[in-house]
Amino acid sequence: EAQVTQNPRYLITVTGKKLTVTCSQNMNHEYMSWYRQDPGLGLRQIYYSMNVEVTDKGDVPEGYKVSRKEKRNFPLILESPSPNQTSLYFCASSPTTVDLFFGPGTRLTVL
Amino acid sequence: ILNVEQSPQSLHVQEGDSTNFTCSFPSSNFYALHWYRWETAKSPEALFVMTLNGDEKKKGRISATLNTKEGYSYLYIKGSQPEDSATYLCALLRSNSGYALNFGKGTSLLVTP
């Protein structure tokens, strides 16, 4: 089944404790992207990647890192999480930049 | 950050009503306009991707139009059903943005029987 998977789906952590949210797609898509969803603010793009080893900042990259070592994986890394990074995170992929396929979302709480 | 505006913010209609909402965006450097449907507790799902001025797309009872010169797109739902209840998002891709997709805040539609 063609899909985008994210892990974990839910995470409660504490300020400063490094964490990684994984994203994997099995559709051989070149384009992958991370978004955060906050009430009243809509989906905001954090980082995106056009292909392996090619990443670029979106609108709200501060406090996040990404890597694209393989085509199928695009992990989101929070080196030192803070409470303002409490959010709902979505990973998405696309064969070009049409029809984004979204993952199920990761709800992160930073205490 | 671009100003992709959606109106209205929310809408409540009766089953069988037809409805429409608007996505407004800066018209310069336009590349593509996406529409997504986002049901509560699920992930957004693609409805349409539109690239040409005057484009019209249709999927069942849902259709969309695009005017790139004046910077707006309309989404229409004919004969709304309760299962159409969702948030409808539009997103803009500009040719000079390095493929950064900017979403509006969405229109939340509630259809009651």
Side-chain angles (χ1 to χ4, degrees):
Chain A
E1 180 190 354
Q3 60 183 345
V4 178
T5 56
Q6 293 179 229
N7 282 292
R9 295 287 314 280
Y10 303 91
L11 179 61
I12 300 174
T13 189
V14 295
T15 298
K17 186 176 181 182
K18 181 179 178 180
L19 67 93
T20 299
V21 184
T22 64
C23 174
S24 183
Q25 51 94 3
N26 61 1
M27 296 168 280
N28 202 37
H29 288 169
E30 287 81 19
Y31 182 89
M32 297 186 75
S33 184
W34 277 102
Y35 298 86
R36 60 178 290 175
Q37 163 69 24
D38 301 292
L41 293 178
L43 279 168
R44 293 181 293 166
Q45 192 170 40
I46 304 170
Y47 270 95
Y48 62 94
S49 169
M50 293 302 298
N51 215 323
V52 175
E53 303 292 1
V54 180
T55 63
D56 212 341
K57 296 177 182 179
D59 296 323
V60 288
E62 295 79 19
Y64 304 95
K65 286 174 60 177
V66 292
S67 69
R68 189 90 181 274
K69 294 186 171 62
E70 309 165 278
K71 200 172 190 180
R72 63 183 292 124
N73 295 323
F74 190 44
L76 180 70
I77 303 155
L78 284 72
E79 294 270 4
S80 183
S82 61
N84 64 13
Q85 291 179 299
T86 292
S87 187
L88 176 60
Y89 290 87
F90 285 101
C91 178
S93 73
S94 169
T96 51
T97 52
V98 295
D99 276 19
L100 282 177
F101 290 82
F102 283 85
T106 294
R107 188 164 291 282
L108 172 66
T109 302
V110 183
L111 302 174
Chain B
I1 297 178
L2 299 173
N3 234 12
V4 178
E5 302 283 350
Q6 289 190 249
S7 63
Q9 187 175 352
S10 63
L11 199 52
H12 181 187
V13 302
Q14 296 296 310
E15 183 176 356
D17 289 348
S18 293
T19 187
N20 65 85
F21 4 104
T22 305
C23 174
S24 303
F25 51 86
S27 56
S28 59
N29 304 113
F30 176 88
Y31 189 83
L33 193 285
H34 295 213
W35 280 100
Y36 292 86
R37 181 171 179 273
W38 191 2
E39 289 182 71
T40 303
K42 294 187 178 180
S43 305
E45 293 182 344
L47 283 173
F48 307 114
V49 178
M50 309 172 79
T51 56
L52 298 176
N53 185 45
D55 252 358
E56 291 188 24
K57 301 260 183 169
K58 188 174 181 181
K59 187 182 288 189
R61 293 178 291 97
I62 304 177
S63 60
T65 61
L66 176 67
N67 183 322
T68 61
K69 295 188 187 313
E70 295 181 40
Y72 64 84
S73 175
Y74 294 139
L75 189 79
Y76 301 92
I77 303 178
K78 185 177 178 182
S80 303
Q81 300 296 309
E83 57 264 32
D84 295 328
S85 297
T87 296
Y88 292 83
L89 302 170
C90 70
L92 176 68
L93 189 63
R94 298 176 92 187
S95 56
N96 63 345
S97 68
Y99 298 105
L101 196 63
N102 292 106
F103 281 82
K105 295 179 183 178
T107 292
S108 177
L109 174 67
L110 177 63
V111 183
T112 50

